[in-house]
Amino acid sequence: MNTLLLALIRALRRHGWLRFLGFAYILSSLGNGLTQVIVFSTLLHWQASPATLTLVYLLSMVPSFIGSLWGETLCKHVSPLRILILTELLGLLALAFPLWGVLWHNIPALLAVQSLEALLSGMSYPALTLLFKRGLHHDELPAATAMETLIFAAHVLLGTGLGVLLFDVMSPLHLLAIDALSFAASAVLLLASASVFQVLTCHPEEKATVMQKRFWPTLSPLQKRSVMLLPALAAVGSPAMALLPALAQEVRPEDPASLALPLLFARSLGQLCGPLMLDARKMQRYGANNRLWLVCLGGFIGGYFLLPLSAGSLWAGLVIIFSAHVASNMVFALGTFGVLKHFPEDQVARASAMTWRSQVMTAAFFTGITSVIANNLSAFTALYSMSLLSLGGVGVLLWVYSASTTD
Protein backbone atom coordinates (compact mmCIF):
# COMPACT_ATOMS: atom_id res chain seq x y z
CA MET A 1 0.00 0.00 0.00
CA ASN A 2 1.40 3.39 -1.02
CA THR A 3 0.72 5.29 2.22
CA LEU A 4 1.26 8.99 2.80
CA LEU A 5 4.27 8.15 4.96
CA LEU A 6 5.96 6.34 2.06
CA ALA A 7 5.08 9.24 -0.25
CA LEU A 8 6.72 11.64 2.20
CA ILE A 9 9.86 9.50 2.46
CA ARG A 10 10.21 9.47 -1.34
CA ALA A 11 9.75 13.25 -1.51
CA LEU A 12 12.31 13.79 1.25
CA ARG A 13 14.84 11.71 -0.68
CA ARG A 14 14.20 13.74 -3.83
CA HIS A 15 14.13 17.29 -2.42
CA GLY A 16 16.86 18.68 -0.19
CA TRP A 17 14.83 21.81 0.60
CA LEU A 18 12.02 19.64 1.97
CA ARG A 19 14.42 17.89 4.36
CA PHE A 20 15.62 21.23 5.71
CA LEU A 21 12.02 22.47 5.96
CA GLY A 22 10.92 19.34 7.80
CA PHE A 23 13.67 19.59 10.42
CA ALA A 24 13.04 23.32 10.78
CA TYR A 25 9.34 22.88 11.49
CA ILE A 26 9.85 19.96 13.84
CA LEU A 27 12.10 22.21 15.93
CA SER A 28 9.72 25.16 15.61
CA SER A 29 6.73 23.04 16.60
CA LEU A 30 8.67 21.71 19.57
CA GLY A 31 9.27 25.31 20.63
CA ASN A 32 5.59 26.25 20.21
CA GLY A 33 4.59 23.28 22.33
CA LEU A 34 7.04 24.27 25.06
CA THR A 35 5.70 27.83 25.05
CA GLN A 36 2.14 26.57 25.46
CA VAL A 37 3.13 24.33 28.38
CA ILE A 38 5.01 27.18 30.06
CA VAL A 39 2.02 29.50 29.74
CA PHE A 40 -0.65 27.04 30.92
CA SER A 41 1.46 25.49 33.70
CA THR A 42 2.52 28.89 35.02
CA LEU A 43 -1.07 30.16 35.05
CA LEU A 44 -2.23 27.01 36.84
CA HIS A 45 0.62 27.37 39.34
CA TRP A 46 -0.52 30.94 39.97
CA GLN A 47 -4.11 29.65 40.38
CA ALA A 48 -5.47 31.77 37.55
CA SER A 49 -9.26 32.00 37.21
CA PRO A 50 -11.22 29.74 34.83
CA ALA A 51 -12.08 32.85 32.81
CA THR A 52 -8.36 33.52 32.29
CA LEU A 53 -7.74 29.94 31.18
CA THR A 54 -10.65 30.16 28.74
CA LEU A 55 -9.24 33.42 27.40
CA VAL A 56 -5.89 31.69 26.80
CA TYR A 57 -7.66 29.08 24.64
CA LEU A 58 -9.40 31.76 22.57
CA LEU A 59 -6.23 33.83 22.19
CA SER A 60 -4.37 30.77 20.95
CA MET A 61 -6.84 30.49 18.07
CA VAL A 62 -8.70 33.69 17.09
CA PRO A 63 -5.72 36.00 16.20
CA SER A 64 -4.69 33.54 13.48
CA PHE A 65 -7.67 34.89 11.51
CA ILE A 66 -5.84 38.22 11.13
CA GLY A 67 -2.54 36.42 10.58
CA SER A 68 -3.94 34.52 7.61
CA LEU A 69 -5.03 37.81 6.01
CA TRP A 70 -1.51 39.16 6.38
CA GLY A 71 0.01 35.92 5.12
CA GLU A 72 -2.25 35.92 2.07
CA THR A 73 -1.22 39.49 1.21
CA LEU A 74 2.48 38.82 1.74
CA CYS A 75 2.35 35.78 -0.54
CA LYS A 76 1.51 38.10 -3.47
CA HIS A 77 4.74 40.05 -3.06
CA VAL A 78 7.26 38.00 -1.06
CA SER A 79 8.78 34.54 -1.42
CA PRO A 80 6.96 32.05 0.84
CA LEU A 81 10.27 30.89 2.34
CA ARG A 82 11.07 34.46 3.36
CA ILE A 83 7.68 34.68 5.05
CA LEU A 84 8.39 31.47 6.97
CA ILE A 85 11.83 32.74 8.04
CA LEU A 86 10.22 36.01 9.16
CA THR A 87 7.63 34.20 11.30
CA GLU A 88 10.37 32.14 13.00
CA LEU A 89 12.38 35.26 13.85
CA LEU A 90 9.26 37.02 15.14
CA GLY A 91 8.46 33.91 17.18
CA LEU A 92 11.90 34.14 18.75
CA LEU A 93 11.35 37.80 19.64
CA ALA A 94 7.89 36.98 21.04
CA LEU A 95 9.54 34.90 23.78
CA ALA A 96 10.29 38.20 25.52
CA PHE A 97 6.65 38.18 26.67
CA PRO A 98 6.70 34.87 28.61
CA LEU A 99 10.12 35.87 30.00
CA TRP A 100 8.60 39.11 31.21
CA GLY A 101 5.56 37.29 32.55
CA VAL A 102 7.53 34.66 34.48
CA LEU A 103 10.02 37.13 36.01
CA TRP A 104 7.47 39.78 37.00
CA HIS A 105 4.34 37.64 37.56
CA ASN A 106 2.58 39.37 34.67
CA ILE A 107 -0.46 37.49 33.36
CA PRO A 108 -1.17 39.83 30.39
CA ALA A 109 2.35 39.13 29.10
CA LEU A 110 1.60 35.39 29.09
CA LEU A 111 -1.64 36.05 27.24
CA ALA A 112 0.21 38.21 24.71
CA VAL A 113 2.54 35.41 23.63
CA GLN A 114 -0.42 33.15 22.92
CA SER A 115 -1.93 35.82 20.69
CA LEU A 116 1.35 36.40 18.85
CA GLU A 117 1.92 32.69 18.24
CA ALA A 118 -1.60 32.34 16.82
CA LEU A 119 -1.01 35.39 14.62
CA LEU A 120 2.26 33.95 13.29
CA SER A 121 0.68 30.53 12.68
CA GLY A 122 -1.99 32.17 10.55
CA MET A 123 0.69 34.08 8.60
CA SER A 124 2.76 30.98 7.90
CA TYR A 125 -0.05 28.66 6.75
CA PRO A 126 -0.72 30.24 3.29
CA ALA A 127 3.04 30.54 2.70
CA LEU A 128 3.62 26.89 3.59
CA THR A 129 0.82 25.79 1.24
CA LEU A 130 2.19 27.92 -1.60
CA LEU A 131 5.70 26.55 -0.99
CA PHE A 132 4.46 22.96 -1.31
CA LYS A 133 2.58 23.84 -4.49
CA ARG A 134 5.65 25.45 -6.08
CA GLY A 135 8.28 22.99 -4.92
CA LEU A 136 6.61 19.60 -5.34
CA HIS A 137 5.59 17.77 -8.47
CA HIS A 138 1.89 17.23 -9.06
CA ASP A 139 2.07 13.57 -8.02
CA GLU A 140 4.01 14.48 -4.84
CA LEU A 141 1.27 16.62 -3.29
CA PRO A 142 0.19 13.81 -0.88
CA ALA A 143 3.66 14.18 0.69
CA ALA A 144 2.72 17.76 1.65
CA THR A 145 -0.27 16.45 3.58
CA ALA A 146 1.99 13.97 5.40
CA MET A 147 4.47 16.73 6.21
CA GLU A 148 1.74 18.89 7.75
CA THR A 149 0.69 15.90 9.86
CA LEU A 150 4.24 15.39 11.15
CA ILE A 151 4.57 19.10 11.95
CA PHE A 152 1.39 18.90 14.00
CA ALA A 153 2.62 15.74 15.73
CA ALA A 154 5.89 17.46 16.64
CA HIS A 155 3.91 20.23 18.31
CA VAL A 156 1.76 17.87 20.35
CA LEU A 157 3.91 14.83 21.00
CA LEU A 158 7.34 16.46 21.20
CA GLY A 159 6.66 20.02 22.33
CA THR A 160 3.73 19.51 24.68
CA GLY A 161 4.86 16.06 25.83
CA LEU A 162 8.43 17.16 26.53
CA GLY A 163 7.18 20.31 28.23
CA VAL A 164 4.93 18.35 30.59
CA LEU A 165 7.78 16.00 31.49
CA LEU A 166 10.35 18.77 32.03
CA PHE A 167 8.22 21.43 33.72
CA ASP A 168 8.65 19.92 37.19
CA VAL A 169 12.34 19.13 36.52
CA MET A 170 13.56 22.40 34.96
CA SER A 171 12.71 26.00 35.72
CA PRO A 172 10.54 27.95 33.26
CA LEU A 173 13.58 30.08 32.41
CA HIS A 174 15.56 27.03 31.31
CA LEU A 175 12.59 25.85 29.23
CA LEU A 176 12.41 29.28 27.61
CA ALA A 177 16.10 29.00 26.74
CA ILE A 178 15.44 25.66 24.97
CA ASP A 179 12.45 27.29 23.30
CA ALA A 180 14.60 30.16 21.98
CA LEU A 181 17.23 27.76 20.64
CA SER A 182 14.54 25.84 18.74
CA PHE A 183 13.31 29.00 16.98
CA ALA A 184 16.84 30.14 16.15
CA ALA A 185 17.81 26.71 14.75
CA SER A 186 14.57 26.61 12.75
CA ALA A 187 15.35 29.97 11.13
CA VAL A 188 18.85 28.74 10.19
CA LEU A 189 17.44 25.55 8.64
CA LEU A 190 14.88 27.56 6.66
CA LEU A 191 17.70 29.70 5.31
CA ALA A 192 19.43 26.49 4.22
CA SER A 193 16.19 25.34 2.60
CA ALA A 194 15.94 28.64 0.69
CA SER A 195 19.48 28.17 -0.65
CA VAL A 196 18.61 24.87 -2.37
CA PHE A 197 14.92 25.45 -3.17
CA GLN A 198 13.89 25.12 -6.81
CA VAL A 199 10.56 26.24 -8.20
CA LEU A 200 8.98 23.44 -10.22
CA THR A 201 5.74 25.16 -11.24
CA CYS A 202 5.28 28.87 -11.68
CA HIS A 203 2.87 30.73 -13.97
CA PRO A 204 3.19 34.45 -13.21
CA GLU A 205 1.37 35.41 -16.36
CA GLU A 206 -1.90 34.12 -14.87
CA LYS A 207 -1.73 36.21 -11.69
CA ALA A 208 -2.87 39.55 -13.05
CA THR A 209 -6.08 38.18 -14.51
CA VAL A 210 -6.93 36.13 -11.44
CA MET A 211 -6.28 38.89 -8.89
CA GLN A 212 -8.55 41.33 -10.73
CA LYS A 213 -11.57 39.12 -10.27
CA ARG A 214 -13.66 38.51 -7.22
CA PHE A 215 -12.40 35.27 -5.79
CA TRP A 216 -15.36 33.21 -4.56
CA PRO A 217 -17.71 33.64 -7.57
CA THR A 218 -14.95 32.51 -9.94
CA LEU A 219 -14.47 29.16 -8.18
CA SER A 220 -15.86 25.93 -9.54
CA PRO A 221 -18.23 23.86 -7.35
CA LEU A 222 -15.38 21.43 -6.67
CA GLN A 223 -13.10 24.25 -5.52
CA LYS A 224 -15.84 25.67 -3.28
CA ARG A 225 -16.32 22.21 -1.82
CA SER A 226 -12.57 21.96 -1.12
CA VAL A 227 -12.58 25.29 0.74
CA MET A 228 -15.68 24.46 2.80
CA LEU A 229 -14.90 20.91 3.89
CA LEU A 230 -12.24 21.71 6.49
CA PRO A 231 -14.47 24.30 8.22
CA ALA A 232 -17.21 21.65 8.15
CA LEU A 233 -14.83 19.26 9.90
CA ALA A 234 -14.12 21.98 12.49
CA ALA A 235 -17.86 22.25 13.13
CA VAL A 236 -18.10 18.51 13.78
CA GLY A 237 -14.85 18.12 15.69
CA SER A 238 -14.52 21.23 17.84
CA PRO A 239 -17.43 20.47 20.26
CA ALA A 240 -16.11 16.99 21.04
CA MET A 241 -12.48 18.08 21.35
CA ALA A 242 -13.32 21.03 23.59
CA LEU A 243 -15.49 18.83 25.82
CA LEU A 244 -13.03 15.94 26.25
CA PRO A 245 -11.76 17.02 29.73
CA ALA A 246 -15.35 17.66 30.88
CA LEU A 247 -16.47 14.28 29.51
CA ALA A 248 -13.70 12.59 31.47
CA GLN A 249 -14.91 14.44 34.55
CA GLU A 250 -18.42 13.06 34.11
CA VAL A 251 -17.22 9.52 33.34
CA ARG A 252 -14.79 9.38 36.28
CA PRO A 253 -15.80 12.14 38.73
CA GLU A 254 -13.63 10.80 41.56
CA ASP A 255 -10.36 11.27 39.62
CA PRO A 256 -10.91 12.95 36.24
CA ALA A 257 -7.25 13.86 35.66
CA SER A 258 -6.17 10.21 35.61
CA LEU A 259 -8.53 9.65 32.66
CA ALA A 260 -8.38 13.02 30.90
CA LEU A 261 -4.60 13.22 30.38
CA PRO A 262 -4.24 9.74 28.80
CA LEU A 263 -7.28 10.46 26.61
CA LEU A 264 -5.68 13.69 25.40
CA PHE A 265 -2.56 11.72 24.47
CA ALA A 266 -4.65 9.08 22.67
CA ARG A 267 -6.39 11.87 20.78
CA SER A 268 -3.06 13.28 19.60
CA LEU A 269 -1.79 9.84 18.61
CA GLY A 270 -4.93 9.17 16.57
CA GLN A 271 -4.56 12.54 14.86
CA LEU A 272 -1.04 11.55 13.84
CA CYS A 273 -1.81 8.00 12.67
CA GLY A 274 -5.04 8.67 10.76
CA PRO A 275 -3.61 10.57 7.76
CA LEU A 276 -0.56 8.32 7.47
CA MET A 277 -2.81 5.30 6.87
CA LEU A 278 -4.27 6.70 3.64
CA ASP A 279 -3.14 5.38 0.25
CA ALA A 280 -1.39 8.27 -1.55
CA ARG A 281 -2.44 6.99 -4.98
CA LYS A 282 -6.13 7.08 -4.07
CA MET A 283 -6.31 10.47 -2.38
CA GLN A 284 -8.35 12.11 -5.13
CA ARG A 285 -10.81 9.18 -5.20
CA TYR A 286 -11.13 9.25 -1.40
CA GLY A 287 -11.71 13.00 -1.41
CA ALA A 288 -14.55 12.63 -3.93
CA ASN A 289 -16.30 9.91 -1.93
CA ASN A 290 -19.13 11.47 0.07
CA ARG A 291 -19.92 8.18 1.77
CA LEU A 292 -16.35 7.86 3.09
CA TRP A 293 -16.50 11.37 4.53
CA LEU A 294 -19.77 10.68 6.34
CA VAL A 295 -18.59 7.28 7.60
CA CYS A 296 -15.40 8.81 9.01
CA LEU A 297 -17.20 11.73 10.64
CA GLY A 298 -19.94 9.42 11.91
CA GLY A 299 -17.26 7.12 13.35
CA PHE A 300 -15.64 10.09 15.07
CA ILE A 301 -18.89 11.19 16.70
CA GLY A 302 -19.84 7.58 17.49
CA GLY A 303 -16.56 7.11 19.36
CA TYR A 304 -17.31 10.05 21.62
CA PHE A 305 -20.88 8.84 22.08
CA LEU A 306 -19.49 5.48 23.27
CA LEU A 307 -17.20 7.06 25.86
CA PRO A 308 -19.82 6.91 28.68
CA LEU A 309 -20.23 3.17 28.00
CA SER A 310 -16.56 2.61 28.82
CA ALA A 311 -17.61 2.97 32.48
CA GLY A 312 -14.37 4.76 33.27
CA SER A 313 -12.18 1.96 31.92
CA LEU A 314 -8.91 3.58 30.87
CA TRP A 315 -8.01 1.10 28.13
CA ALA A 316 -11.49 1.12 26.62
CA GLY A 317 -11.49 4.92 26.62
CA LEU A 318 -8.05 5.05 24.99
CA VAL A 319 -9.11 2.73 22.16
CA ILE A 320 -12.35 4.65 21.60
CA ILE A 321 -10.73 8.10 21.43
CA PHE A 322 -7.76 6.89 19.39
CA SER A 323 -10.07 5.30 16.82
CA ALA A 324 -12.31 8.37 16.70
CA HIS A 325 -9.41 10.65 15.84
CA VAL A 326 -7.92 8.26 13.32
CA ALA A 327 -11.22 8.65 11.46
CA SER A 328 -11.49 12.44 11.85
CA ASN A 329 -7.93 13.17 10.76
CA MET A 330 -8.24 11.00 7.68
CA VAL A 331 -10.91 13.54 6.71
CA PHE A 332 -8.58 16.41 7.66
CA ALA A 333 -5.85 15.03 5.41
CA LEU A 334 -8.27 14.68 2.50
CA GLY A 335 -9.49 18.24 2.96
CA THR A 336 -5.94 19.60 3.03
CA PHE A 337 -5.05 17.62 -0.07
CA GLY A 338 -8.16 18.93 -1.84
CA VAL A 339 -7.02 22.55 -1.51
CA LEU A 340 -3.55 21.69 -2.85
CA LYS A 341 -4.97 19.56 -5.66
CA HIS A 342 -7.79 21.69 -7.00
CA PHE A 343 -6.25 25.19 -6.91
CA PRO A 344 -3.52 26.47 -9.25
CA GLU A 345 -0.37 27.99 -7.81
CA ASP A 346 -1.59 31.59 -8.11
CA GLN A 347 -4.74 30.82 -6.09
CA VAL A 348 -3.60 28.24 -3.56
CA ALA A 349 -2.29 30.71 -0.94
CA ARG A 350 -5.57 32.65 -1.03
CA ALA A 351 -7.64 29.47 -0.89
CA SER A 352 -5.67 28.05 2.04
CA ALA A 353 -5.90 31.35 3.92
CA MET A 354 -9.66 31.43 3.36
CA THR A 355 -9.92 27.85 4.59
CA TRP A 356 -7.84 28.66 7.68
CA ARG A 357 -10.00 31.67 8.60
CA SER A 358 -13.19 29.70 8.09
CA GLN A 359 -11.89 26.90 10.31
CA VAL A 360 -10.93 29.31 13.08
CA MET A 361 -14.25 31.13 13.13
CA THR A 362 -16.28 27.92 12.83
CA ALA A 363 -14.36 26.30 15.70
CA ALA A 364 -14.75 29.41 17.87
CA PHE A 365 -18.48 29.66 17.16
CA PHE A 366 -19.29 26.01 17.81
CA THR A 367 -17.01 25.83 20.86
CA GLY A 368 -18.76 28.87 22.33
CA ILE A 369 -22.24 27.40 21.87
CA THR A 370 -21.06 24.04 23.21
CA SER A 371 -19.64 25.69 26.35
CA VAL A 372 -22.93 27.45 27.05
CA ILE A 373 -24.93 24.21 26.70
CA ALA A 374 -22.43 22.27 28.84
CA ASN A 375 -22.54 24.88 31.62
CA ASN A 376 -26.34 24.97 31.69
CA LEU A 377 -27.13 21.29 31.07
CA SER A 378 -24.31 18.73 30.86
CA ALA A 379 -21.24 17.93 28.82
CA PHE A 380 -22.87 14.91 27.17
CA THR A 381 -26.03 16.85 26.33
CA ALA A 382 -23.87 19.48 24.62
CA LEU A 383 -21.91 16.76 22.80
CA TYR A 384 -24.96 14.90 21.49
CA SER A 385 -26.87 17.99 20.37
CA MET A 386 -24.03 19.90 18.71
CA SER A 387 -22.38 16.87 17.09
CA LEU A 388 -25.58 15.59 15.49
CA LEU A 389 -26.50 19.08 14.33
CA SER A 390 -23.10 19.68 12.73
CA LEU A 391 -22.98 16.20 11.15
CA GLY A 392 -26.35 16.87 9.52
CA GLY A 393 -25.02 20.17 8.20
CA VAL A 394 -21.99 18.44 6.68
CA GLY A 395 -24.29 15.91 5.02
CA VAL A 396 -26.23 18.76 3.38
CA LEU A 397 -22.97 20.42 2.31
CA LEU A 398 -21.70 17.24 0.67
CA TRP A 399 -25.01 16.82 -1.14
CA VAL A 400 -25.05 20.43 -2.42
CA TYR A 401 -21.42 20.38 -3.58
CA SER A 402 -21.53 16.92 -5.03
CA ALA A 403 -18.14 15.28 -5.50
CA SER A 404 -19.23 14.14 -8.93
CA THR A 405 -18.82 17.73 -10.14
CA THR A 406 -15.53 18.24 -11.91
CA ASP A 407 -13.49 21.31 -12.74
Side-chain angles (χ1 to χ4, degrees):
M1 183 177 180
N2 185 21
T3 63
L4 290 191
L5 183 58
L6 293 176
L8 176 60
I9 292 172
R10 284 196 297 270
L12 288 171
R13 288 175 177 172
R14 189 178 300 175
H15 303 287
W17 69 267
L18 189 62
R19 293 194 292 271
F20 284 120
L21 179 80
F23 284 125
Y25 264 88
I26 286 174
L27 289 174
S28 176
S29 297
L30 186 150
N32 285 327
L34 285 176
T35 304
Q36 195 171 58
V37 169
I38 292 168
V39 170
F40 273 101
S41 299
T42 302
L43 289 174
L44 290 171
H45 180 70
W46 291 347
Q47 297 182 338
S49 67
T52 300
L53 296 174
T54 303
L55 184 61
V56 172
Y57 175 78
L58 289 175
L59 290 177
S60 66
M61 178 173 58
V62 175
S64 64
F65 182 96
I66 299 173
S68 69
L69 288 171
W70 291 357
E72 178 187 333
T73 302
L74 285 172
C75 282
K76 300 175 186 176
H77 309 287
V78 183
S79 160
L81 266 169
R82 290 185 179 181
I83 297 172
L84 297 180
I85 294 169
L86 174 65
T87 58
E88 292 305 302
L89 294 176
L90 292 176
L92 177 61
L93 294 176
L95 294 181
F97 285 101
L99 179 63
W100 178 17
V102 169
L103 290 178
W104 282 277
H105 202 286
N106 190 301
I107 290 179
L110 296 179
L111 299 180
V113 72
Q114 290 294 100
S115 299
L116 284 172
E117 283 199 350
L119 188 75
L120 296 175
S121 294
M123 284 180 61
S124 64
Y125 186 72
L128 191 62
T129 305
L130 179 58
L131 186 66
F132 287 144
K133 189 73 174 181
R134 284 183 178 176
L136 295 175
H137 292 285
H138 190 70
D139 59 351
E140 293 175 325
L141 291 180
T145 302
M147 178 63 80
E148 291 188 5
T149 299
L150 290 181
I151 291 171
F152 170 80
H155 174 81
V156 175
L157 299 178
L158 292 181
T160 306
L162 187 64
V164 170
L165 290 175
L166 294 180
F167 190 80
D168 292 328
V169 178
M170 302 176 67
S171 70
L173 294 180
H174 287 133
L175 290 177
L176 281 173
I178 297 173
D179 201 349
L181 286 174
S182 73
F183 279 106
S186 177
V188 171
L189 287 168
L190 286 173
L191 284 169
S193 179
S195 67
V196 297
F197 178 75
Q198 293 183 339
V199 176
L200 299 180
T201 56
C202 186
H203 306 286
E205 67 276 3
E206 297 177 6
K207 293 183 179 180
T209 58
V210 173
M211 294 304 173
Q212 290 173 356
K213 299 178 181 178
R214 294 179 62 189
F215 188 62
W216 184 259
T218 64
L219 301 184
S220 69
L222 186 58
Q223 288 175 319
K224 291 180 179 179
R225 168 191 163 95
S226 299
V227 169
M228 297 176 69
L229 285 176
L230 285 179
L233 174 61
V236 175
S238 56
M241 293 175 65
L243 286 171
L244 185 55
L247 297 175
Q249 191 173 38
E250 292 194 14
V251 171
R252 188 181 288 183
E254 70 280 1
D255 187 15
S258 64
L259 180 61
L261 293 178
L263 290 183
L264 289 173
F265 181 79
R267 181 181 77 183
S268 301
L269 199 59
Q271 289 170 331
L272 168 63
C273 294
L276 299 181
M277 295 171 61
L278 291 168
D279 189 333
R281 294 170 299 186
K282 300 179 181 178
M283 290 287 286
Q284 186 168 1
R285 188 194 312 172
Y286 291 152
N289 190 330
N290 286 350
R291 183 176 300 175
L292 176 63
W293 281 75
L294 290 175
V295 167
C296 287
L297 292 176
F300 168 77
I301 291 176
Y304 274 84
F305 283 10
L306 289 174
L307 192 58
L309 302 180
S310 67
S313 170
L314 177 60
W315 289 107
L318 290 176
V319 172
I320 288 171
I321 296 302
F322 172 80
S323 302
H325 282 278
V326 165
S328 71
N329 272 57
M330 289 172 68
V331 171
F332 177 81
L334 294 173
T336 303
F337 174 78
V339 174
L340 279 169
K341 173 72 176 177
H342 299 302
F343 284 89
E345 177 200 319
D346 53 315
Q347 290 184 336
V348 72
R350 192 172 186 180
S352 62
M354 179 183 290
T355 301
W356 180 281
R357 292 193 292 270
S358 301
Q359 280 182 270
V360 168
M361 299 312 296
T362 301
F365 175 76
F366 277 86
T367 299
I369 296 178
T370 301
S371 299
V372 171
I373 297 176
N375 287 333
N376 289 281
L377 298 174
S378 70
F380 281 105
T381 300
L383 173 68
Y384 295 151
S385 57
M386 293 305 298
S387 295
L388 291 174
L389 176 65
S390 57
L391 182 62
V394 172
V396 173
L397 175 67
L398 292 173
W399 177 73
V400 172
Y401 292 101
S402 174
S404 61
T405 305
T406 57
D407 285 309

